[in-house]
PDB file of all heavy atoms in Angstrom:
ATOM      1  N   TYR A  88      14.740 -10.993  -1.312  1.00 98.00           N
ATOM      2  CA  TYR A  88      14.203 -11.688  -2.553  1.00 98.00           C
ATOM      3  C   TYR A  88      13.673 -10.782  -3.578  1.00 98.00           C
ATOM      4  O   TYR A  88      12.774 -10.000  -3.143  1.00 98.00           O
ATOM      5  CB  TYR A  88      13.210 -12.725  -2.136  1.00 98.00           C
ATOM      6  CG  TYR A  88      13.800 -13.862  -1.321  1.00 98.00           C
ATOM      7  CD1 TYR A  88      13.568 -13.891   0.089  1.00 98.00           C
ATOM      8  CD2 TYR A  88      14.575 -14.822  -1.832  1.00 98.00           C
ATOM      9  CE1 TYR A  88      14.065 -14.871   0.905  1.00 98.00           C
ATOM     10  CE2 TYR A  88      15.185 -15.784  -1.019  1.00 98.00           C
ATOM     11  CZ  TYR A  88      14.857 -15.849   0.344  1.00 98.00           C
ATOM     12  OH  TYR A  88      15.396 -16.823   1.168  1.00 98.00           O
ATOM     13  N   PRO A  89      14.041 -10.827  -4.817  1.00 97.00           N
ATOM     14  CA  PRO A  89      13.557  -9.907  -5.836  1.00 97.00           C
ATOM     15  C   PRO A  89      11.960 -10.181  -6.047  1.00 97.00           C
ATOM     16  O   PRO A  89      11.566 -11.268  -6.114  1.00 97.00           O
ATOM     17  CB  PRO A  89      14.286 -10.335  -7.112  1.00 97.00           C
ATOM     18  CG  PRO A  89      15.490 -11.055  -6.671  1.00 97.00           C
ATOM     19  CD  PRO A  89      15.117 -11.677  -5.346  1.00 97.00           C
ATOM     20  N   ILE A  90      11.241  -9.036  -6.165  1.00 96.00           N
ATOM     21  CA  ILE A  90       9.800  -9.092  -6.311  1.00 96.00           C
ATOM     22  C   ILE A  90       9.326  -9.862  -7.546  1.00 96.00           C
ATOM     23  O   ILE A  90       8.437 -10.648  -7.411  1.00 96.00           O
ATOM     24  CB  ILE A  90       9.229  -7.668  -6.406  1.00 96.00           C
ATOM     25  CG1 ILE A  90       7.732  -7.688  -6.253  1.00 96.00           C
ATOM     26  CG2 ILE A  90       9.568  -6.908  -7.634  1.00 96.00           C
ATOM     27  CD1 ILE A  90       7.154  -8.203  -4.985  1.00 96.00           C
ATOM     28  N   ASP A  91      10.063  -9.871  -8.650  1.00 94.00           N
ATOM     29  CA  ASP A  91       9.630 -10.689  -9.866  1.00 94.00           C
ATOM     30  C   ASP A  91       9.711 -12.176  -9.447  1.00 94.00           C
ATOM     31  O   ASP A  91       8.878 -12.930  -9.990  1.00 94.00           O
ATOM     32  CB  ASP A  91      10.458 -10.296 -11.082  1.00 94.00           C
ATOM     33  CG  ASP A  91      11.911 -10.302 -10.894  1.00 94.00           C
ATOM     34  OD1 ASP A  91      12.325  -9.797  -9.812  1.00 94.00           O
ATOM     35  OD2 ASP A  91      12.630 -10.772 -11.733  1.00 94.00           O
ATOM     36  N   GLN A  92      10.761 -12.566  -8.773  1.00 96.00           N
ATOM     37  CA  GLN A  92      10.875 -14.013  -8.386  1.00 96.00           C
ATOM     38  C   GLN A  92       9.660 -14.416  -7.486  1.00 96.00           C
ATOM     39  O   GLN A  92       9.164 -15.480  -7.640  1.00 96.00           O
ATOM     40  CB  GLN A  92      12.220 -14.305  -7.762  1.00 96.00           C
ATOM     41  CG  GLN A  92      13.382 -14.159  -8.684  1.00 96.00           C
ATOM     42  CD  GLN A  92      14.734 -14.454  -8.009  1.00 96.00           C
ATOM     43  OE1 GLN A  92      14.750 -15.272  -7.031  1.00 96.00           O
ATOM     44  NE2 GLN A  92      15.835 -14.119  -8.631  1.00 96.00           N
ATOM     45  N   LEU A  93       9.483 -13.558  -6.537  1.00 97.00           N
ATOM     46  CA  LEU A  93       8.333 -13.872  -5.575  1.00 97.00           C
ATOM     47  C   LEU A  93       7.029 -13.908  -6.389  1.00 97.00           C
ATOM     48  O   LEU A  93       6.228 -14.828  -6.167  1.00 97.00           O
ATOM     49  CB  LEU A  93       8.294 -12.872  -4.452  1.00 97.00           C
ATOM     50  CG  LEU A  93       9.452 -12.830  -3.540  1.00 97.00           C
ATOM     51  CD1 LEU A  93       9.322 -11.665  -2.549  1.00 97.00           C
ATOM     52  CD2 LEU A  93       9.583 -14.200  -2.681  1.00 97.00           C
ATOM     53  N   ALA A  94       6.776 -12.908  -7.263  1.00 95.00           N
ATOM     54  CA  ALA A  94       5.448 -12.855  -7.940  1.00 95.00           C
ATOM     55  C   ALA A  94       5.346 -14.112  -8.925  1.00 95.00           C
ATOM     56  O   ALA A  94       4.207 -14.593  -9.100  1.00 95.00           O
ATOM     57  CB  ALA A  94       5.473 -11.617  -8.799  1.00 95.00           C
ATOM     58  N   GLU A  95       6.437 -14.643  -9.394  1.00 94.00           N
ATOM     59  CA  GLU A  95       6.400 -15.721 -10.282  1.00 94.00           C
ATOM     60  C   GLU A  95       6.299 -17.010  -9.520  1.00 94.00           C
ATOM     61  O   GLU A  95       5.583 -18.024  -9.963  1.00 94.00           O
ATOM     62  CB  GLU A  95       7.751 -15.701 -11.158  1.00 94.00           C
ATOM     63  CG  GLU A  95       7.569 -16.003 -12.625  1.00 94.00           C
ATOM     64  CD  GLU A  95       6.274 -15.658 -13.191  1.00 94.00           C
ATOM     65  OE1 GLU A  95       5.903 -14.470 -13.380  1.00 94.00           O
ATOM     66  OE2 GLU A  95       5.512 -16.592 -13.451  1.00 94.00           O
ATOM     67  N   GLN A  96       7.101 -17.226  -8.466  1.00 96.00           N
ATOM     68  CA  GLN A  96       7.300 -18.536  -7.890  1.00 96.00           C
ATOM     69  C   GLN A  96       6.621 -18.806  -6.596  1.00 96.00           C
ATOM     70  O   GLN A  96       6.564 -20.000  -6.152  1.00 96.00           O
ATOM     71  CB  GLN A  96       8.846 -18.777  -7.766  1.00 96.00           C
ATOM     72  CG  GLN A  96       9.555 -18.771  -9.110  1.00 96.00           C
ATOM     73  CD  GLN A  96      11.106 -18.942  -8.960  1.00 96.00           C
ATOM     74  OE1 GLN A  96      11.557 -19.713  -8.190  1.00 96.00           O
ATOM     75  NE2 GLN A  96      11.791 -17.978  -9.567  1.00 96.00           N
ATOM     76  N   SER A  97       6.184 -17.792  -5.798  1.00 97.00           N
ATOM     77  CA  SER A  97       5.789 -18.090  -4.474  1.00 97.00           C
ATOM     78  C   SER A  97       4.251 -17.917  -4.308  1.00 97.00           C
ATOM     79  O   SER A  97       3.601 -17.275  -5.193  1.00 97.00           O
ATOM     80  CB  SER A  97       6.511 -17.219  -3.491  1.00 97.00           C
ATOM     81  OG  SER A  97       6.070 -15.914  -3.695  1.00 97.00           O
ATOM     82  N   SER A  98       3.786 -18.550  -3.272  1.00 97.00           N
ATOM     83  CA  SER A  98       2.349 -18.185  -3.034  1.00 97.00           C
ATOM     84  C   SER A  98       2.199 -16.950  -2.088  1.00 97.00           C
ATOM     85  O   SER A  98       3.191 -16.525  -1.515  1.00 97.00           O
ATOM     86  CB  SER A  98       1.743 -19.430  -2.174  1.00 97.00           C
ATOM     87  OG  SER A  98       2.323 -19.539  -0.989  1.00 97.00           O
ATOM     88  N   PHE A  99       0.988 -16.401  -1.987  1.00 98.00           N
ATOM     89  CA  PHE A  99       0.837 -15.252  -1.154  1.00 98.00           C
ATOM     90  C   PHE A  99       1.101 -15.575   0.373  1.00 98.00           C
ATOM     91  O   PHE A  99       1.697 -14.765   1.043  1.00 98.00           O
ATOM     92  CB  PHE A  99      -0.575 -14.687  -1.315  1.00 98.00           C
ATOM     93  CG  PHE A  99      -0.721 -13.286  -0.588  1.00 98.00           C
ATOM     94  CD1 PHE A  99      -0.022 -12.223  -0.990  1.00 98.00           C
ATOM     95  CD2 PHE A  99      -1.641 -13.203   0.390  1.00 98.00           C
ATOM     96  CE1 PHE A  99      -0.165 -11.011  -0.408  1.00 98.00           C
ATOM     97  CE2 PHE A  99      -1.764 -12.017   1.043  1.00 98.00           C
ATOM     98  CZ  PHE A  99      -1.073 -10.923   0.655  1.00 98.00           C
TER      99      PHE A  99
END
Side-chain angles (χ1 to χ4, degrees):
Y88 296 103
I90 188 64
D91 49 320
Q92 292 184 19
L93 293 172
E95 221 28 73
Q96 298 176 46
S97 67
S98 70
F99 188 64

